[in-house]
């Protein structure tokens, strides 16, 4: 097994260009081989997105000329928080939890308008010359502030079609995490996994129309290894299309520094990585 160093750098920071010479020096000093330029979200204001596209057109070839592989990195389904007026104006469906609450800036993958916005954004990013587009670890349904998603009208319709019964949130709360196998849990997992897989497939298809050789991937996250209805390996291969699948594993040393995730120490983080490497062994995934 060989290792390389990949470094993400935010170009949404207004000081990016002023600091570029320093970034370049640091990248060379540490022996980085791949650089991800982090950009705005698909539902961000157009002016902000266009600024990112302009910067990519300028700096992707500059970094490539220095010998780096260059990709872009962006948020996908959102990390929650409060929707700004521009995001609200985008008119996309927000994820809804089991208490019927639409949760901040978390965007439902079944929403057709959101799908169209994101597919268009992926195509624009690919046109800048990047070789890989990586989605952040918000490509997930659950593990969002302790809540389980999504119960929007589209997901509920899928669940009702599979169970043949009217959706009952309180019954679903019990069925998801208690008792033996049951049709409500099965329907929930199918609906959540279907949304993630469908959007991944649509993004790959959109990307193939303009740049079939560009790799598309998402960071794995805890819930895409268990409760999201589809696993990280399947998603990686769906995103990949005809390219080699790529997967960033969940887990980072800063967990130990912040003492979050159940007081996880560095040894726990290392065990996370070893476990995921075991799961990916022989899969052909980088």
């Amino acid at each position: 097994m060989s290792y390389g160093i990949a470094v993400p750098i935010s170009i949404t920071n207004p000081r990016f260009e002023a600091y570029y010479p320093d970034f370049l020096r640091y990248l060379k000093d540490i022996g980085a081989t791949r650089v991800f330029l982090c950009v705005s979200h698909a539902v961000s204001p157009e002016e902000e997105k266009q600024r990112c596209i302009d910067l990519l057109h300028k700096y992707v070839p500059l970094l490539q000329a220095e010998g780096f592989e260059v990709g872009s990195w962006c948020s996908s389904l959102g990390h929650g928080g409060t929707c700004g007026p521009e995001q609200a104006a985008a008119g996309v469906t927000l994820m809804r939890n089991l208490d019927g609450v639409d949760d901040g800036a978390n965007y439902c993958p079944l929403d057709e308008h959101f799908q169209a916005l994101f597919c268009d954004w992926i195509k624009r990013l690919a046109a800048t010359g990047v070789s890989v587009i990586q989605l952040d670890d918000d490509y997930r349904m659950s593990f969002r502030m302790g809540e389980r998603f999504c119960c929007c009208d589209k997901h509920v319709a899928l669940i009702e079609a599979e169970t043949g019964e009217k959706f009952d949130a309180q019954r679903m709360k019990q069925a998801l995490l208690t008792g033996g196998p049951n049709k409500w849990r099965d329907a929930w997992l199918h609906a959540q996994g279907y949304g993630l897989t469908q959007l991944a497939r649509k993004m790959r298809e959109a990307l193939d129309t303009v740049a079939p050789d560009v790799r598309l991937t998402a960071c794995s996250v805890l819930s895409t290894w268990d409760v999201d209805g589809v696993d990280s390996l399947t998603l990686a291969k769906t995103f990949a299309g005809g390219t080699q699948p790529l997967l960033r594993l969940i887990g980072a040393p800063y967990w130990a520094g912040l003492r979050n995730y159940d007081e996880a120490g560095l040894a726990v983080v290392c065990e996370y990585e070893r476990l995921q490497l075991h799961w990916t062994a022989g899969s052909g995934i980088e």
Side-chain angles (χ1 to χ4, degrees), residues 56-108:
L56 288 175
H57 276 297
K58 178 178 179 179
Y59 286 98
V60 168
L62 290 177
L63 286 164
Q64 289 172 335
E66 295 288 347
F68 299 106
E69 180 187 4
V70 187
S72 65
W73 187 324
C74 66
S75 180
S76 57
L77 303 183
H79 284 288
T82 303
C83 283
E86 298 88 357
Q87 285 82 359
V92 300
T93 301
L94 299 178
M95 290 191 194
R96 183 175 300 160
N97 65 24
L98 279 163
D99 292 321
V101 178
D102 291 344
D103 190 73
N106 292 322
Y107 308 105
C108 178

Side-chain angles (χ1 to χ4, degrees), residues 66-278:
E66 295 288 347
F68 299 106
E69 180 187 4
V70 187
S72 65
W73 187 324
C74 66
S75 180
S76 57
L77 303 183
H79 284 288
T82 303
C83 283
E86 298 88 357
Q87 285 82 359
V92 300
T93 301
L94 299 178
M95 290 191 194
R96 183 175 300 160
N97 65 24
L98 279 163
D99 292 321
V101 178
D102 291 344
D103 190 73
N106 292 322
Y107 308 105
C108 178
L110 287 178
D111 182 83
E112 292 88 349
H113 181 46
F114 179 75
Q115 293 173 356
L117 284 172
F118 219 102
C119 287
D120 178 68
W121 186 227
I122 292 296
K123 289 161 61 174
R124 290 172 67 181
L125 293 175
T128 66
V130 296
S131 61
V132 57
I133 299 171
Q134 180 161 282
L135 308 182
D136 201 19
D137 62 3
D138 54 343
Y139 201 80
R140 66 187 192 273
M141 301 306 298
S142 291
F143 208 70
R144 296 176 177 274
M145 302 303 291
E147 298 283 354
R148 285 161 290 282
F149 294 93
C150 173
C151 297
C152 73
D153 293 343
K154 295 180 184 297
H155 275 95
V156 165
L158 288 176
I159 293 168
E160 290 181 340
E162 185 158 336
T163 62
E165 298 183 20
K166 186 172 178 58
F167 182 79
D168 184 319
Q170 295 306 311
R171 178 175 59 194
M172 184 63 77
K173 286 182 180 181
Q174 294 297 314
L176 279 177
L177 299 176
T178 63
N182 59 77
K183 65 179 181 179
W184 299 286
R185 184 188 300 146
D186 289 344
W188 172 275
L189 291 172
H190 175 260
Q192 310 313 320
Y194 174 77
L196 291 174
T197 306
Q198 181 197 52
L199 179 55
R201 187 177 296 113
K202 287 190 174 185
M203 285 192 284
R204 183 68 249 179
E205 291 172 352
L207 182 55
D208 283 345
T209 65
V210 294
D213 293 334
V214 172
R215 302 167 79 184
L216 179 63
T217 181
C219 304
S220 67
V221 69
L222 298 178
S223 59
T224 54
W225 288 115
D226 47 35
V227 298
D228 275 348
V230 61
D231 63 81
S232 296
L233 305 184
T234 300
L235 285 175
K237 293 177 180 179
T238 304
F239 279 122
T243 68
Q244 182 187 7
L246 174 67
L247 183 65
R248 175 182 179 268
L249 305 181
I250 184 66
Y254 72 80
W255 288 10
L258 295 177
R259 307 303 297 175
N260 55 5
Y261 294 99
D262 297 324
E263 297 294 313
L266 186 58
V268 174
V269 176
C270 292
E271 288 303 304
Y272 266 52
E273 306 316 304
R274 293 179 62 195
L275 179 61
Q276 291 171 94
L277 282 172
H278 173 72

